[in-house]
Amino acid sequence: MAEQRRDQRDGRGARESAGAMGDARRRSVRAEEAHAWGALVATARRTVSDGLVVGTSGNVSVRVGDTVLVTPSGVPYDRLTPTDTIGVDLDGRQVLGTLLPTSELPMHLAVYRTTDAHAVVHTHAVHATAVSTLVPELPSVHYMSGALGGPVRVAPYATYGTEELAENMLRALTDRSACLLQNHGTIAYGTSLDQAFDRTAQLEWMCRLWLTASSVPGLSPTLLTGEQVAEAGERLRGYGQGGARRGEG
């Protein structure tokens, strides 16, 4: 994959290039950022172990105040340590670390600038990516679409790492917490790393479900109406131990 190959090239020698990038703007990692970095690395490793990315093809970020911690370009997640912490401000200026940030930084920053997100997960999950090549919107095959704000849209294709891709993504994310990226993958955000990851995994599951159901010869999946998805979404806002209503699971 071109994105992964570029990230691998960018990652090599990134430490040595730190001087050219301007060490003067770097600062020490704060305690809250160190804690958040550990959680970010754990989430990034989970995207690999759960089969949502291959190699370094995805990326993860988390916001701490006005600093965005983000995975580096082209470094396998199992090699990341506390000394590899990378942080940028909301304008993309690097303030922490010496490794180069992911090439998909424009997408991450676009989400933080326009939503209340505290974490973003981007993957190349296989079923979701397959669906992104087939339809402009994931058919509402399951009520969990409501947990993402409604039917999941597909952002039109643009070259990875570009502002054009970030703009396409933002349009697809309008009133949604996740979207598909055409011929590319997924992006989801949340108020925490756990929520962003769970939404990513849920989206991949729904894509797999639709592909499985639609593959039966002579039959088409029954789809939910917009009203049914909206009703489920409203009920899901109260889901869990702290909610006013209980979910079914």
Side-chain angles (χ1 to χ4, degrees):
M1 288 175 282
E3 179 184 339
Q4 185 173 351
R5 288 197 298 270
R6 176 182 163 182
D7 277 354
Q8 289 171 339
R9 290 197 302 270
D10 290 346
R12 287 194 294 265
R15 293 182 189 276
E16 289 75 8
S17 67
M21 295 171 64
D23 284 336
R25 64 177 179 241
R26 304 296 197 276
R27 60 171 174 76
S28 299
V29 178
R30 297 164 183 154
E32 185 180 10
E33 293 165 341
H35 177 76
W37 177 255
L40 178 149
V41 171
T43 300
R45 290 173 178 170
R46 190 177 174 193
T47 65
V48 176
S49 64
D50 285 15
L52 298 173
V53 305
V54 176
T56 61
S57 62
N59 29 79
V60 179
S61 66
V62 62
R63 181 173 179 174
V64 182
D66 290 331
T67 299
V68 175
L69 307 181
V70 63
T71 49
S73 176
V75 179
Y77 301 141
D78 60 358
R79 298 182 189 175
L80 293 176
T81 70
T83 60
D84 294 320
T85 304
I86 300 172
V88 301
D89 64 21
L90 292 174
D91 292 322
R93 291 184 292 265
Q94 190 163 350
V95 297
L96 292 174
T98 59
L99 292 173
L100 296 176
T102 172
S103 59
E104 294 291 12
L105 186 60
M107 278 205 302
H108 289 259
L109 293 180
V111 173
Y112 291 117
R113 291 174 188 144
T114 57
T115 73
D116 61 353
H118 281 78
V120 176
V121 175
H122 165 53
T123 78
H124 292 181
V126 63
H127 298 95
T129 304
V131 170
S132 80
T133 71
L134 297 171
V135 292
E137 180 179 277
L138 174 63
S140 297
V141 72
H142 196 274
Y143 69 80
M144 283 303 291
S145 295
L148 303 179
V152 178
R153 306 183 187 101
V154 179
Y157 180 81
T159 304
Y160 73 91
T162 62
E163 293 294 340
E164 181 185 6
L165 176 59
E167 292 169 3
N168 291 350
M169 172 207 67
L170 283 181
R171 285 191 290 270
L173 280 177
T174 301
D175 299 323
R176 303 289 187 270
S177 55
C179 73
L180 299 174
L181 307 170
Q182 190 177 63
N183 295 84
H184 187 155
T186 72
I187 194 158
Y189 70 86
T191 58
S192 66
L193 283 163
D194 282 344
Q195 187 179 62
F197 179 89
D198 289 346
R199 286 172 170 171
T200 301
Q202 189 69 57
L203 177 55
E204 168 67 356
W205 179 83
M206 287 192 293
C207 288
R208 184 178 182 182
L209 174 63
W210 180 71
L211 288 171
T212 301
S214 60
S215 68
V216 179
L219 297 175
S220 297
T222 299
L223 302 180
L224 301 176
T225 66
E227 291 76 14
Q228 288 171 324
V229 171
E231 181 182 1
E234 181 62 30
R235 289 180 63 85
L236 286 164
R237 290 190 183 94
Y239 173 77
Q241 297 299 316
R245 291 183 293 269
R246 292 288 191 264
E248 71 172 89

